[in-house]
């Protein structure tokens, strides 16, 4: 079946890009819910899925709101105010969702679901109070599932936005729309989609189109349409196949001369996020020494720490990635 979204010239002029943490949250959570191993995200899923189970979020509000396939509640993906919104801004927009919108989305979920959820019934009855619990769960999931990896994910998504913005400047918006995905094509003022996922209910765009690159939407295109807001189209970002490749070569003597060999070793070990205990085991340093070095690296903006249950996961920043990448 094919779905179409009709644009005027003014609508096309309003088309823009945005990187959305909430789109990455809902698509990555859905990926973890599916039993099949995700070929492009196998390593990430192997690290994160056990944390999801230990946290209990696999049985919580997000699990009720994000089915393994099909419709996603529109209020989970509010329209980003700018090209690179912070998660806090998107969570605040979710909290401001009107009871009418929440109940409408839940009714749609109920129509598609085989099992009525007690959690969703409670959210339907008291949306204002329960949305706070939903956003608290989102923050918890973000901390252990995406925040430690966000530096490299955001780099991928930003690179996609900058590439396509350059393509718009060189070839026009129609060219870019035709290259988003093999299920999307631009045809004489109409954006046509096959194998559509989520909801696209308006025949006319009305307020333009928001294009959202995603690391976890692959291999699908996902949509959101809530008039009078712009329709959103989340599509697989370019270069997803390289997302989890090792970023840094072996730590160089030049970096070690500045940071010291132990701190350079820890940065190299953080090609994937790890706890103090894991770093101590892999590096041969004592846990106390690792903690001391991590504090210094964190103060220098080279690592970040993210709560995962009782542990803290440390991750390299983009600055550290650049520092460990040989010039040339």
């Amino acid at each position: 079946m094919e779905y179409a979204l009709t644009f005027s010239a003014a609508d096309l002029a309003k088309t823009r890009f945005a990187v959305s943490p909430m789109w990455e949250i809902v698509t990555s959570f859905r990926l973890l819910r599916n039993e099949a191993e995700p070929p492009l995200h196998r390593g990430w899923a192997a690290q994160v899925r056990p944390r999801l189970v230990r946290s209990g979020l696999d049985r919580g509000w997000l699990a009720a709101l994000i089915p393994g396939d099909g419709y996603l509640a529109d209020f989970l993906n509010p329209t980003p105010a700018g090209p690179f919104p912070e998660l806090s801004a998107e969570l605040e927009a979710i909290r401001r969702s009107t009871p009418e919108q929440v109940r409408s989305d839940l009714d749609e979920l109920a129509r598609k679901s085989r099992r009525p959820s007690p959690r969703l019934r409670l959210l339907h009855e008291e949306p204002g109070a329960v949305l706070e619990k939903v956003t608290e769960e989102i923050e918890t999931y973000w901390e252990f599932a995406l925040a430690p990896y966000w530096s490299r994910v955001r780099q991928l998504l930003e690179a996609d936005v900058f590439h396509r913005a350059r393509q718009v400047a060189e070839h026009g918006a129609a060219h870019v729309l035709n290259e988003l995905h093999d299920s999307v094509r631009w045809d004489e003022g109409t954006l046509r989609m096959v194998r559509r996922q989520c909801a696209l209910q308006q025949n006319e765009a009305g307020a333009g189109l928001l294009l959202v690159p995603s690391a976890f939407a692959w291999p699908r295109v996902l949509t959101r349409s809530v008039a009078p807001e712009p329709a959103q189209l989340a599509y697989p970002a370019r270069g997803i196949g390289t997302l989890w490749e090792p970023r840094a070569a072996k730590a160089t003597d030049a970096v070690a001369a500045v940071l010291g060999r132990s701190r350079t070793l820890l940065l190299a070990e953080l090609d994937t996020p790890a706890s103090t205990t894991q770093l101590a085991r892999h590096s041969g340093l004592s846990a106390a020494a690792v903690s001391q070095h991590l504090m210094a690296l964190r103060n220098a903006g080279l690592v970040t720490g993210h709560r995962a249950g009782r542990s803290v996961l440390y991750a390299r920043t983009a600055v550290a990635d650049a520092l460990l990448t040989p010039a040339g």
Side-chain angles (χ1 to χ4, degrees):
M1 183 178 294
E2 184 178 88
Y3 297 82
L5 190 63
T6 303
F7 284 76
S8 67
D11 294 329
L12 191 59
K14 295 176 184 176
T15 298
R16 62 185 177 93
F17 291 88
V19 169
S20 166
M22 275 308 307
W23 269 110
E24 298 310 278
I25 285 169
V26 297
T27 53
S28 65
F29 191 93
R30 167 172 281 182
L31 182 150
L32 291 172
R33 293 206 64 191
N34 291 324
E35 295 181 1
E37 282 294 323
L40 294 181
H41 303 290
R42 185 174 290 111
W44 170 85
Q47 295 173 39
V48 174
R49 191 174 275 125
R51 301 173 199 159
L52 182 71
V53 174
R54 286 196 301 269
S55 70
L57 265 62
D58 61 327
R59 305 177 300 278
W61 295 100
L62 284 177
L65 284 166
I66 303 175
D69 200 3
Y71 176 74
L72 289 169
D74 288 322
F75 70 83
L76 290 176
N77 295 107
T79 302
F84 305 110
E86 296 293 331
L87 176 62
S88 58
E90 295 194 302
L91 292 180
E92 182 56 33
I94 291 174
R95 294 186 190 101
R96 292 198 306 267
S97 300
T98 65
E100 292 76 19
Q101 180 186 351
V102 173
R103 289 178 178 131
S104 174
D105 292 352
L106 295 179
D107 289 342
E108 183 67 20
L109 272 176
R111 282 192 288 270
K112 303 293 177 65
S113 176
R114 296 178 182 176
R115 299 180 184 174
S117 164
R119 289 183 182 274
L120 296 188
R121 284 199 295 268
L122 181 58
L123 180 55
H124 197 284
E125 293 169 4
E126 303 179 39
V130 177
L131 278 181
E132 188 63 36
K133 297 179 181 179
V134 173
T135 55
E136 287 174 2
E137 265 204 15
I138 291 172
E139 289 179 305
T140 299
Y141 175 75
W142 169 264
E143 275 298 300
F144 70 70
L146 287 175
Y149 311 89
W150 188 240
S151 174
R152 66 168 61 199
V153 172
R154 176 164 172 154
Q155 284 179 20
L156 176 83
L157 302 181
E158 288 182 348
D160 182 278
V161 169
F162 294 142
H163 168 80
R164 296 188 194 276
R166 186 169 62 248
Q167 293 293 95
V168 170
E170 294 177 358
H171 305 290
H175 172 85
V176 172
L177 291 171
N178 272 325
E179 298 226 328
L180 287 177
H181 193 265
D182 60 7
S183 68
V184 177
R185 63 188 174 90
W186 175 258
D187 180 21
E188 297 182 356
T190 300
L191 189 66
R192 304 187 184 278
M193 285 163 276
V194 295
R195 300 195 302 275
R196 175 189 60 91
Q197 295 291 320
C198 304
L200 187 59
Q201 299 166 340
Q202 46 193 93
N203 294 323
E204 296 186 359
L209 179 66
L210 184 61
L211 300 173
V212 185
S214 172
F216 296 96
W218 185 91
R220 298 169 174 170
V221 165
L222 305 174
T223 60
R224 177 204 193 254
S225 179
V226 179
E229 300 175 33
Q232 296 187 42
L233 191 153
Y235 62 91
R238 300 171 69 253
I240 295 174
T242 65
L243 176 60
W244 305 118
E245 289 181 355
R247 287 295 178 90
K250 292 290 184 180
T252 64
D253 290 339
V255 176
V258 177
L259 298 180
R261 293 200 174 276
S262 294
R263 291 173 184 174
T264 304
L265 172 62
L266 292 177
L267 284 182
E269 289 289 343
L270 286 174
D271 203 55
T272 58
S275 66
T276 300
T277 302
Q278 292 169 323
L279 288 170
R281 184 167 61 248
H282 294 159
S283 68
L285 299 170
S286 69
V290 170
S291 295
Q292 184 178 16
H293 291 315
L294 287 174
M295 182 177 295
L297 292 170
R298 190 171 183 173
N299 290 339
L302 298 178
V303 302
T304 54
H306 308 277
R307 176 64 59 182
R310 297 180 180 179
S311 300
V312 174
L313 294 174
Y314 291 91
R316 275 201 316 253
T317 65
V319 175
D321 279 342
L323 187 64
L324 290 176
T325 303

